[in-house]
Amino acid sequence: MDSAKPQCGGSGTGEDYPLGLHVGGLFAVFAVSAFGAGFPVAAKRIKWLKMPPKVFFACKHFGTGVLIATAFVHLLPTAFGSLTDPCLPDLFTEIYPAMPGVIMMAAMFLLFMVELYLNAKTGGHSHGGPTGTTVTVVQPLPRPQRPFPETANFNHSHTRNDSSVSDDYDDVDYEKAMARELYEKENKPHAYSYEQDSNSSMPAWFVVFYEQYIRQRSEMMDMIKSTQYSNQAVIDDKPSPEVSQSSFDEEGQTIDQATYKRMSMNITLLEGGILFHSVFVGMTIAMTTDGLVVLLTAIMFHQMFEGLGLGARIAAVPYPRGSFRPWLLVLAFGSTAPIGQAIGIASRNSYDPESALGLIMVGVFNSISSGLLIYAALVNLLVEDFLSEEAQHLMKKKDKIAALCWIGLGAFGMSVVGAFA
């Protein structure tokens, strides 16, 4: 006989709830989170705090390792542990225990679709087509081959790759036919028949002259159409209002519009995945009484490492000079976990994280966050840093080795912290 399903719900926080310690922990977590995310941004944008490039390089890649470890070591185990708790309905424990993985996969696909849509709107960058060849929009037309005088006639065709200019070549064929008709009439006035003599050969000097005319006319048409396409592309690619107002970043360098839009989009999606789980991190702290000091210390290291990685990525975005957006992103990260703590403190007598609702909420949101972080860390960070065309030109072999070492160190450090938080 099967044992009875256990009941969800904990014993509550109890009457000896250390309210003062929790309130102090709230401000401590805010200070550590804001400092971790804000220091790289301040060092990049405040002149007297200029951070050496090597230090910024280390922080950037150390943070990448932290974010990857956060997804795999902290979020995924918590999601599976919450949604497979024996007290939950059989849908989560017996029928489909892989539910956290499905939610994570759905979040990854959704993020990919969002990024695909935004890339189509803002313009992305290409490292080559999907078949390994670079996709070009305007193909140069092949120059017509000059026929040998012995076999030259005006029935040979000039192939075109661009179907949009087929009408132009109809005009050319018509002109050739008229020229041939005129020549035949002048040289064979009594025996001329256009239909019967359609394959008659032309003199070599006439072929050379007319082939040169055809070639020059084709090149001119190609140049006109290419110029029209380029002008249309410039008109369609209008700059965003923020970039129009300020075309230079804090270092006085010109902002590349496509790069700015792409990096701004990536950092927004990355922070969105982090903020999801930060609320529940704060609520977990607020609901803890036993071992609170150990958990609070581990969470502070967690927020410091995570903020350092996020802040380095925010600082790398070429925001226009005087923009407040990077500081808003820092403030959002610094305040999210404390907001979760405040919610947990206020609802400590009514909200039970061990209840069925609490377990499902934590499991679902951690699954979503892990999917967002895994996609953002692997696709938008690792691929961009090591496999992009820009990285191939800017990073030498020793730089890549150093970056991999910092990534490994960040992942290791966060994995150790994950054992306590």
Side-chain angles (χ1 to χ4, degrees):
M1 182 177 180
D2 295 337
S3 59
K5 183 180 287 293
Q7 295 295 320
C8 293
S11 57
T13 57
E15 297 181 357
D16 56 345
Y17 185 79
L19 181 60
L21 184 58
H22 277 284
V23 173
L26 186 152
F27 289 101
V29 170
F30 173 77
V32 169
S33 302
F35 176 79
F39 178 72
V41 177
K44 186 72 177 289
R45 303 180 74 85
I46 299 177
K47 294 182 178 180
W48 57 271
L49 276 180
K50 286 297 181 181
M51 188 164 54
K54 290 185 178 180
V55 177
F56 186 80
F57 176 87
C59 292
K60 179 180 178 180
H61 294 288
F62 180 86
T64 300
V66 168
L67 296 177
I68 294 174
T70 299
F72 284 104
V73 178
H74 180 73
L75 295 178
L76 267 183
T78 304
F80 274 94
S82 298
L83 289 182
T84 57
D85 192 284
C87 74
L88 292 180
D90 292 340
L91 173 64
F92 299 97
T93 59
E94 301 292 338
I95 299 176
Y96 204 79
M99 185 68 73
V102 172
I103 298 173
M104 180 190 71
M105 180 179 64
M108 293 177 63
F109 279 124
L110 180 61
L111 181 57
F112 172 73
M113 296 302 295
V114 170
E115 191 165 355
L116 187 65
Y117 172 78
L118 293 178
N119 265 331
K121 287 292 185 181
T122 62
H125 64 291
S126 176
H127 309 309
T131 60
T133 58
T134 303
V135 180
T136 54
V137 179
V138 180
Q139 295 287 348
L141 300 173
R143 298 178 65 175
Q145 297 295 326
R146 175 179 173 179
F148 293 100
E150 294 78 11
T151 60
N153 62 68
F154 273 88
N155 283 332
H156 71 278
S157 61
H158 301 282
T159 59
R160 297 285 295 233
N161 291 341
D162 192 349
S163 60
S164 64
V165 293
S166 59
D167 293 339
D168 300 330
Y169 265 71
D170 291 340
D171 295 339
V172 172
D173 293 337
Y174 175 77
E175 292 175 6
K176 289 163 61 177
M178 293 300 295
R180 182 178 59 191
E181 181 179 354
L182 179 62
Y183 179 86
E184 294 289 343
K185 283 184 178 180
E186 291 179 353
N187 291 274
K188 300 179 182 180
H190 303 291
Y192 174 75
S193 173
Y194 179 78
E195 292 78 13
Q196 296 177 358
D197 199 26
S198 60
N199 293 324
S200 60
S201 299
M202 306 298 295
W205 64 268
F206 192 87
V207 172
V208 173
F209 171 82
Y210 207 83
E211 285 292 329
Q212 183 179 3
Y213 163 75
I214 295 296
R215 183 165 57 251
Q216 291 177 347
R217 187 179 189 277
S218 300
E219 291 174 351
M220 182 176 295
M221 294 299 299
D222 297 341
M223 182 179 64
I224 293 174
K225 290 184 177 295
S226 177
T227 304
Q228 290 176 346
Y229 180 85
S230 300
N231 292 338
Q232 185 64 32
V234 171
I235 293 174
D236 293 339
D237 193 17
K238 295 181 179 179
S240 63
E242 185 175 358
V243 178
S244 299
Q245 295 172 4
S246 179
S247 300
F248 300 94
D249 60 10
E250 291 293 333
E251 297 179 342
Q253 298 177 349
T254 304
I255 297 175
D256 180 73
Q257 182 183 350
T259 302
Y260 167 72
K261 289 181 178 180
R262 172 174 54 84
M263 295 183 69
S264 179
M265 175 189 66
N266 289 344
I267 198 63
T268 302
L269 297 176
L270 178 65
E271 179 154 357
I274 294 174
L275 297 185
F276 259 121
H277 87 278
S278 293
V279 175
F280 293 99
V281 168
M283 294 180 68
T284 301
I285 298 174
M287 294 298 170
T288 301
T289 55
D290 296 333
L292 176 60
V293 175
V294 175
L295 177 64
L296 188 59
T297 303
I299 291 295
M300 289 173 65
F301 276 103
H302 172 279
Q303 292 296 106
M304 170 71 79
F305 288 161
E306 200 170 59
L308 192 64
L310 180 63
R313 294 292 169 175
I314 295 174
V317 179
Y319 289 108
R321 183 179 299 166
S323 175
F324 289 99
R325 186 174 298 180
W327 301 111
L328 292 177
L329 293 175
V330 170
L331 180 62
F333 174 77
S335 59
T336 305
I339 288 175
Q341 289 177 265
I343 294 174
I345 293 173
S347 61
R348 63 185 183 276
N349 295 323
S350 58
Y351 173 76
D352 185 2
E354 299 297 327
S355 65
L357 177 61
L359 291 172
I360 292 175
M361 285 179 58
V362 172
V364 169
F365 280 100
N366 275 1
S367 299
I368 294 174
S369 297
S370 63
L372 298 180
L373 271 187
I374 289 173
Y375 178 88
L378 297 182
V379 176
N380 294 334
L381 300 186
L382 281 184
V383 172
E384 287 290 326
D385 289 342
F386 291 94
L387 302 181
S388 66
E389 184 177 348
E390 181 182 3
Q392 298 300 323
H393 287 87
L394 297 180
M395 291 185 67
K396 300 179 181 179
K397 184 177 180 180
K398 63 177 183 179
D399 295 329
K400 293 182 179 180
I401 294 175
L404 289 174
C405 291
W406 283 112
I407 290 174
L409 185 61
F412 175 77
M414 195 62 185
S415 299
V416 173
V417 174
F420 302 96

